[in-house]
Amino acid sequence: MVGGMATDEDRERLAGQLVALPVRELVDVLRRALPHFTEEAYGMRTALTLASVTYYEDEVEPGLNVELVAWPDRDYYDGDLGMNQGLWENGHCARCDIEVVSNAKRAFCPYCGSACGLT
Ligand SMILES: [Zn+2]
């Protein structure tokens, strides 16, 4: 597909392959793809990341809670992707001051690359 446009059928087939993956494998595929879409201009860096978005019907402060999906620390897991579970580990990137989620307890912020401890 390099240098050309994928057909609608190509994209549908690719989407079908992604949907069949457990979430930690989907995240790993996106970790390899999304950073290629990072843009830097006028001293600002804009990164395309995956986010988990939840609407809370809180009476005091209702609204969307956006958490970035952190990339598992593959070195820590000996090349593996961490626990095969949903994005149930929660953490915080101190550098970006943003909440992150992951299937793994050791993961990297998708924006700045900082190590995040999740629980
Ligand atoms: Zn960060």
Side-chain angles (χ1 to χ4, degrees):
M1 285 185 280
V2 173
M5 303 278 285
T7 65
D8 197 47
E9 289 75 23
D10 291 335
R11 293 192 299 273
E12 186 62 29
R13 186 164 45 245
L14 186 54
Q17 291 173 345
L18 294 176
V19 165
L21 296 173
V23 70
R24 69 174 187 163
E25 292 183 26
L26 170 66
V27 168
D28 188 54
V29 172
L30 295 175
R31 180 187 64 78
R32 297 160 196 250
L34 295 184
H36 293 277
F37 296 87
T38 296
E39 296 189 1
E40 297 192 52
Y42 307 109
M44 292 187 295
R45 185 169 62 89
T46 301
L48 203 53
T49 73
L50 185 63
S52 177
V53 183
T54 305
Y55 181 79
Y56 286 103
E57 289 191 47
D58 191 302
E59 288 180 9
V60 180
E61 199 178 351
L64 290 180
N65 185 49
V66 177
E67 299 161 302
L68 301 186
V69 176
W71 313 131
D73 182 347
R74 297 198 62 176
D75 288 338
Y76 180 77
Y77 295 105
D78 292 325
D80 201 355
L81 302 173
M83 188 129 58
N84 189 8
Q85 62 174 3
L87 302 173
W88 298 335
E89 305 292 343
N90 295 274
H92 180 255
C93 175
R95 194 163 161 194
C96 297
D97 192 22
I98 185 113
E99 303 306 309
V100 297
V101 292
S102 178
N103 65 287
K105 290 185 183 296
R106 290 275 297 259
F108 296 113
C109 172
Y111 184 77
C112 74
S114 293
C116 304
L118 299 90
T119 55

